Amino acid sequence: MSLERGSRVVLRPRADGDVLMRALEGRRGVVDAVEEDMEGRRYIAVVLEDDPARDIGKARRLAHRFFLAPDEVERIGDQELDSLLPRVLVAGIGNVFLGDDAFGVEVVKKLEQTTFPSGVNVVEFGIRGMDLVYALGDGYDAAILVDAAPRNAEPGTIDVIEVDDDTFEGVTIEGHGMHPSQAIALARQIGSIPPRLIVVACEPAAIPSPDEICEGLSAPVAAAVDRAATLVIELVEDLRKSQQPHPEEVTFT
């Protein structure tokens, strides 16, 4: 078995070992180093994956290291590791008959040309607010909502908004074609929402009234589609990297 510093492993301590070590059975850890005792026996130094001090400082001095024999750890394969990474929903929102309100839909169409890893779902919700509500409660670790949102900026300006518990407090819920803020508020009321919720918002040039029909984005908002798509890809990568291993140059065999 080949291990790199940063490799993810499952701990399998021997049944006849120390009771505290046996309690680690099945826990997931990250390889920190390989040590050798005075008699030449090698041990894998592992930091538990959920140790909050694991990433503090390059030397990780604050994290507790456990020492196990090479046959007491199992490397997590790439396929299994991928299934452990955060599930991310990318939601394109908007009405294609209301001009710049279709921004989120157009960004998702652009993103459909990108191949995302398993666990990342890119979905065009349009005005299907209840579908978005149910999706937000589907166990995702993070969601990125893409939409047009007036914020008194120059048309085409893109803002990234991290949603917290108070962002949409007191929002009135409507049943049809609900705004993302309403969908988030309703999802929060009837179930759970992802721990990380991010809105990628674009300042529209103008949004017609609901009784008008206006297809197509204004020039500044259309120019922002590619930038927003690139930004979403970067956000997805950042969200996924937060739980990926960080291998270094040393290989242990």
Side-chain angles (χ1 to χ4, degrees):
M1 176 179 61
S2 178
L3 294 173
E4 298 173 335
R5 182 178 294 121
S7 294
R8 297 294 175 90
V9 294
V10 179
L11 279 55
R12 303 295 187 193
R14 287 190 294 270
D16 59 352
D18 182 282
V19 64
L20 294 178
M21 293 299 292
R22 294 205 306 271
L24 299 176
E25 170 65 32
R27 297 285 295 275
R28 300 184 186 275
V30 180
V31 174
D32 186 65
V34 167
E35 307 287 352
E36 190 171 302
D37 64 17
M38 297 293 291
E39 299 177 0
R41 289 175 297 199
R42 306 186 80 189
Y43 294 91
I44 310 296
V46 175
V47 178
L48 293 181
E49 189 175 56
D50 55 1
D51 187 329
R54 178 170 69 85
D55 293 320
I56 298 179
K58 184 175 181 180
R60 294 178 284 276
R61 297 299 184 192
L62 297 180
H64 186 84
R65 301 199 306 172
F66 296 93
F67 294 87
L68 298 99
D71 61 356
E72 293 182 296
V73 298
E74 294 178 3
R75 179 166 186 160
I76 298 175
D78 292 340
Q79 183 174 359
E80 184 180 356
L81 178 59
D82 190 61
S83 69
L84 296 174
L85 294 176
R87 293 180 64 227
V88 180
L89 171 68
V90 178
I93 303 163
N95 190 329
V96 297
F97 298 112
L98 290 181
D100 287 345
D101 194 55
F103 173 75
V105 174
E106 294 301 322
V107 172
V108 162
K109 288 181 180 178
K110 187 72 175 180
L111 290 171
E112 289 174 349
Q113 303 172 24
T114 300
T115 301
F116 288 95
S118 61
V120 178
N121 290 332
V122 179
V123 183
E124 176 196 324
F125 285 94
I127 59 172
R128 294 179 289 113
M130 286 306 301
D131 287 348
L132 176 59
V133 169
Y134 292 129
L136 290 173
D138 197 28
Y140 286 98
D141 299 287
I144 302 171
L145 278 54
V146 188
D147 192 25
R151 296 175 62 82
N152 297 317
E154 288 294 321
T157 300
I158 298 174
D159 290 317
V160 177
I161 307 161
E162 184 90 23
V163 177
D164 58 28
D165 291 341
D166 300 325
T167 302
F168 299 123
E169 187 175 358
V171 170
T172 302
I173 307 300
E174 299 176 5
H176 177 70
M178 63 180 65
H179 188 273
S181 62
Q182 298 171 339
I184 293 168
L186 181 57
R188 185 177 283 143
Q189 289 178 19
I190 67 176
S192 60
I193 61 174
R196 294 287 305 278
L197 197 54
I198 298 170
V199 177
V200 174
C202 179
E203 181 73 30
I207 294 179
S209 63
D211 57 352
E212 297 181 67
I213 295 179
C214 177
E215 297 185 56
L217 302 178
S218 65
V221 173
V225 169
D226 283 353
R227 289 187 285 115
T230 299
L231 177 58
V232 169
I233 292 170
E234 292 173 352
L235 287 170
V236 169
E237 290 176 350
D238 288 343
L239 289 166
R240 301 272 289 183
K241 280 181 182 178
S242 65
Q243 293 187 23
Q244 285 183 344
H246 305 284
E248 298 176 11
E249 70 283 355
V250 181
T251 301
F252 311 114
T253 304

